[in-house]
């Protein structure tokens, strides 16, 4: 690599982050000298007067786009030039991870996205609603019946158990209770596949990003063999049983089988494709959705006025249906939508998203005194979700938790290309409706049964762990749940 790569953007007349390290400044995260969100903020604010800035990301030339109009151009108008993510795990390296809709590229991605999209419409979310609502009711009911657990709760551990149960039943058709059975294999495998911290895991991740060919030749896979075998076996056996016995159950496996059968003869999804899509649904639901729930509850604990107003809205809609929640009622909760939207702004599940250049594309000058530059195939483009969400130019007093930013009047003023918690354009997260539904249902049941309060272990503000790529608190997120007396 050496000097030629280190001066890649300098030689092309582009503003860039100066470094002589072989993987760029990414090493600061790897060596735990900085959190990933600090790393993102450093790049974003390196030259605040330019529309984009060049850098080396895992040794690969990349451009971080700061300008929302340029994000719109790249992600929407010129999507054909940037249709893919920079997947670092190929199908031959890891069939489960390499064949999911996030990792696929080109025509394979387009075909899979078109196949899956009908499974994530509002109507299909209504199809899954009862399964999720039942899980949420049982989960909160267990907490209510075991007050000893509620005096000091670590949110991430608790909510990953809830999301594990939701995904197990709504995606795989398998009933588990991770509060009663904390060591169930579904939960243990979920922890394994979602753990990106730890020196060995982090090194493996970075080497897969930086040297994918070498890692493939060495026989490394992204998932552990035991986890790959587990998910393949569970999903394959479920599909086989349903086909042989004519079982119909309102869950994601059923929707995937329906989607498979809509394809042209000879172009149907293979069982490996179904395994891959069900797996990515599990991974996203297990980790990122539980993170969203953690920060919703955390912010409600710190802002009792917001919590009380949201509880009043919940109680109002529950009263209309004798204590039950419906999909239609959930969809009408305006303040719930405001609260969750503001949490997604402050604590986005993904801090950055990317695109891979497929065809040459001419970027305009980054600013006065710079010339335009041609982005070449295999160059990466980065959209800084976390930093855009915290830029005072777009969100005044950005560190303040303020759901009113998303009230009926104000949300119309929010630029859709600076608020992108689930990504942007055709490659936006396909499961965002499910994530929001699952989170809101849980909040309804929690607020109906409990008061959420901070305690002596509640970190204000949270201190984030180094060596991870999401907003993981160093010492967890701790709160207290107190039973309502009314």
């Amino acid at each position: 690599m050496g000097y030629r790569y280190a001066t890649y953007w300098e030689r092309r007349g582009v503003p860039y982050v100066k470094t002589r390290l072989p993987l760029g400044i990414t090493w600061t995260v790897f060596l735990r000298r900085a959190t990933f969100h600090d790393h993102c903020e450093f790049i974003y604010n390196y030259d605040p007067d330019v529309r984009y800035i060049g850098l080396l990301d895992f040794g690969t030339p990349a451009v971080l786009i700061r300008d929302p109009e340029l994000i719109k151009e790249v992600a929407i108008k010129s999507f054909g030039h940037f249709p893919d993510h920079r997947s670092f795990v190929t199908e031959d390296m890891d069939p489960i991870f390499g064949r999911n809709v996030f990792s696929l590229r080109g025509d394979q991605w387009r075909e899979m996205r078109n196949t899956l999209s009908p499974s994530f419409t509002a109507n299909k979310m209504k199809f899954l609603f009862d399964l999720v609502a039942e899980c949420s009711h049982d989960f909160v009911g267990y907490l209510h019946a075991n007050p000893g657990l509620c005096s000091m709760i670590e949110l991430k551990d608790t909510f990953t158990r809830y999301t594990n149960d939701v995904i197990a039943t709504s995606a795989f058709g398998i009933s588990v209770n991770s509060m009663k059975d904390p060591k169930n294999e579904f939960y243990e495998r979920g922890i394994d596949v979602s753990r990106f911290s730890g020196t060995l895991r982090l090194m493996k991740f970075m080497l897969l990003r930086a040297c994918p060919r070498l890692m493939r030749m060495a026989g490394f896979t992204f998932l552990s063999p035991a986890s790959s075998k587990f998910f393949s076996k569970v999903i394959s056996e479920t599909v086989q049983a349903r086909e042989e016995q004519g079982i119909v159950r309102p869950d994601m496996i059923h929707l995937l089988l329906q989607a498979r059968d809509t394809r042209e003869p000879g172009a149907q999804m293979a069982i490996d494709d179904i395994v891959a899509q069900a797996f990515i649904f599990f991974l996203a639901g297990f980790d990122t959705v539980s993170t969203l729930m953690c920060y919703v509850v955390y912010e409600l604990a710190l802002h009792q006025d917001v919590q009380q107003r949201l509880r009043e809205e919940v109680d109002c809609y529950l009263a209309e249906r004798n204590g039950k929640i419906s999909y239609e009622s959930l969809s009408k909760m305006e303040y719930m939508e405001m609260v969750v939207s503001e949490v997604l702004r402050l604590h986005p599940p993904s801090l950055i998203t990317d695109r891979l250049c497929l065809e040459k594309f001419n970027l305009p000058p980054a600013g006065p005194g710079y010339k335009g530059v041609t982005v070449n195939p295999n160059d990466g483009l980065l959209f800084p979700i976390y930093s855009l969400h915290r830029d005072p130019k777009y969100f005044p007093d950005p560190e303040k938790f303020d759901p009113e930013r998303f009230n009926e009047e104000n949300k119309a003023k929010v630029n859709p290309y600076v608020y992108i918690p689930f990504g942007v354009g055709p490659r936006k997260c396909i499961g965002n409706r499910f994530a929001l539904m699952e989170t809101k249902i849980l909040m309804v049941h929690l607020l109906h049964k409990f008061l959420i309060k901070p305690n002596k272990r509640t970190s204000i503000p949270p201190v984030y762990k180094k060596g991870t790529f999401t907003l993981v608190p160093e010492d967890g997120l701790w709160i207290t749940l107190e039973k309502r007396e009314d």
Side-chain angles (χ1 to χ4, degrees):
M1 179 181 297
Y3 179 80
R4 187 171 71 87
Y5 276 92
T7 60
Y8 181 86
W9 293 114
E10 180 181 10
R11 288 182 284 108
R12 303 179 74 188
V14 172
Y16 69 102
V17 180
K18 296 177 175 63
T19 181
R20 290 294 185 267
L21 295 174
L23 289 183
I25 64 169
T26 318
W27 278 106
T28 60
V29 177
F30 177 67
L31 296 176
R32 301 175 189 268
R33 294 179 180 175
T35 62
F36 189 59
H37 81 280
D38 283 337
H39 167 79
C40 294
E41 287 280 79
F42 173 78
I43 299 170
Y44 184 81
N45 294 309
Y46 192 84
D47 190 341
D49 297 321
V50 297
R51 302 177 71 186
Y52 57 84
I53 190 163
L55 65 143
L56 291 181
D57 183 47
F58 295 96
T60 302
V63 176
L64 182 129
I65 308 291
R66 304 180 73 259
D67 176 38
E69 287 305 308
L70 203 49
I71 290 175
K72 179 180 179 180
E73 176 65 44
V74 168
I76 306 292
K77 295 181 179 179
S78 300
F79 177 74
H81 290 265
F82 305 95
D84 301 322
H85 288 302
R86 298 177 305 158
S87 176
F88 58 96
V89 180
T90 59
E91 182 181 336
D92 56 342
M93 184 185 293
D94 197 316
I96 292 182
F97 205 90
R99 292 179 75 157
N100 72 67
V101 69
F102 181 87
S103 300
L104 289 173
R105 295 182 179 182
D107 290 340
Q108 283 186 310
W109 166 79
R110 192 170 291 104
E111 188 175 1
M112 185 60 71
R113 178 82 180 203
N114 290 339
T115 298
L116 295 178
S117 290
S119 298
F120 290 91
T121 61
N123 283 337
K124 290 300 171 68
M125 292 305 100
K126 188 175 180 180
F127 178 78
L128 295 169
F129 178 84
D130 287 343
L131 288 176
V132 180
E134 183 179 355
C135 274
S136 179
H137 180 270
D138 291 347
F139 173 79
V140 174
Y142 185 85
L143 291 175
H144 199 261
N146 293 272
L149 298 174
C150 300
S151 60
M152 192 73 69
I153 286 185
E154 201 291 298
L155 293 174
K156 184 63 174 176
D157 175 74
T158 304
F159 287 153
T160 50
R161 296 182 186 281
Y162 166 66
T163 55
N164 178 72
D165 295 356
V166 169
I167 297 301
T169 188
S170 63
F172 299 88
I174 296 172
S175 179
V176 295
N177 189 319
S178 299
M179 297 297 284
K180 292 181 179 178
D181 181 14
K183 296 289 186 179
N184 71 81
E185 191 168 8
F186 245 99
Y187 181 75
E188 294 291 308
R189 291 302 167 197
I191 291 294
D192 178 56
V193 300
S194 64
R195 186 186 293 123
F196 292 98
S197 58
T199 302
L200 292 177
R201 270 290 175 97
L202 194 59
M203 182 179 294
K204 181 179 178 180
F205 176 82
M206 295 187 71
L207 288 173
L208 282 166
R209 286 290 299 265
C211 317
R213 291 183 181 177
L214 181 62
M215 294 293 280
R216 184 164 61 246
M217 290 171 60
F220 281 91
T221 59
F222 182 73
L223 302 178
S224 68
S227 290
S228 292
K229 183 178 180 180
F230 171 76
F231 284 106
S232 294
K233 181 174 183 289
V234 167
I235 300 167
S236 298
E237 289 179 352
T238 300
V239 169
Q240 182 179 356
R242 293 191 184 190
E243 290 180 329
E244 290 178 351
Q245 301 172 36
I247 298 171
V248 175
R249 189 177 186 277
D251 57 22
M252 188 55 60
I253 291 290
H254 178 66
L255 294 178
L256 287 170
L257 291 175
Q258 281 188 317
R260 178 198 65 179
D261 295 339
T262 62
R263 284 193 173 189
E264 297 291 329
Q268 291 184 334
M269 285 191 287
I271 186 62
D272 286 348
D273 293 311
I274 294 176
V275 170
Q277 309 325 312
F279 167 76
I280 199 66
F281 187 68
F282 174 85
L283 180 59
F286 184 90
D287 188 57
T288 57
V289 180
S290 63
T291 297
L292 169 58
M293 294 170 183
C294 288
Y295 284 111
V296 173
V297 171
Y298 173 79
E299 293 294 351
L300 291 178
L302 299 190
H303 301 88
Q304 293 292 313
D305 56 334
V306 173
Q307 183 183 156
Q308 182 55 33
R309 181 176 167 186
L310 183 55
R311 181 177 291 107
E312 290 170 0
E313 181 180 66
V314 165
D315 288 348
C316 178
Y317 279 99
L318 285 174
E320 290 180 358
R321 292 178 55 88
N322 297 317
K324 294 184 178 180
I325 190 68
S326 68
Y327 181 81
E328 289 75 18
S329 296
L330 196 70
S331 302
K332 293 176 184 176
M333 292 186 182
E334 294 182 3
Y335 198 61
M336 177 77 79
E337 178 69 20
M338 291 163 57
V339 169
V340 173
S341 296
E342 175 67 348
V343 170
L344 284 167
R345 182 193 69 81
L346 265 179
H347 312 284
S350 296
L351 307 191
I352 201 162
T353 189
D354 69 340
R355 294 294 184 273
L356 182 72
C357 182
L358 180 66
E359 301 176 15
K360 283 187 176 183
F361 185 82
N362 296 319
L363 289 176
Y370 293 103
K371 54 188 179 182
V373 65
T374 299
V375 181
N376 292 314
N378 294 320
D379 284 350
L381 269 69
L382 305 174
F383 303 153
I385 298 172
Y386 178 88
S387 299
L388 288 167
H389 287 192
R390 302 239 179 174
D391 190 330
K393 181 165 59 176
Y394 307 122
F395 299 100
D397 197 5
E399 300 299 319
K400 180 182 178 182
F401 176 73
D402 182 11
E404 293 301 325
R405 299 180 200 272
F406 294 93
N407 65 29
E408 194 63 35
E409 179 183 355
N410 291 334
K411 70 180 180 181
K413 303 173 186 176
V414 176
N415 186 322
Y417 301 100
V418 301
Y419 179 70
I420 50 175
F422 293 106
V424 59
R427 295 213 69 140
K428 182 178 180 179
C429 173
I430 195 172
N432 68 88
R433 276 195 179 97
F434 186 88
L436 293 172
M437 179 180 75
E438 182 183 356
T439 299
K440 291 176 182 179
I441 293 173
L442 178 64
M443 293 308 116
V444 167
H445 288 294
L446 271 179
L447 291 168
H448 182 55
K449 294 287 188 181
F450 293 102
L451 302 175
I452 305 167
K453 296 184 176 182
N455 57 45
K456 62 183 180 181
R457 296 191 67 177
T458 306
S459 298
I460 308 174
V463 177
Y464 300 121
K465 185 182 293 185
K466 295 175 182 177
T468 67
F469 294 96
T470 55
L471 298 176
V472 179
E474 181 71 45
D475 298 312
L477 288 176
W478 295 86
I479 58 93
T480 294
L481 295 177
E482 184 179 296
K483 286 185 180 182
R484 289 178 65 179
E485 295 180 357
D486 53 330

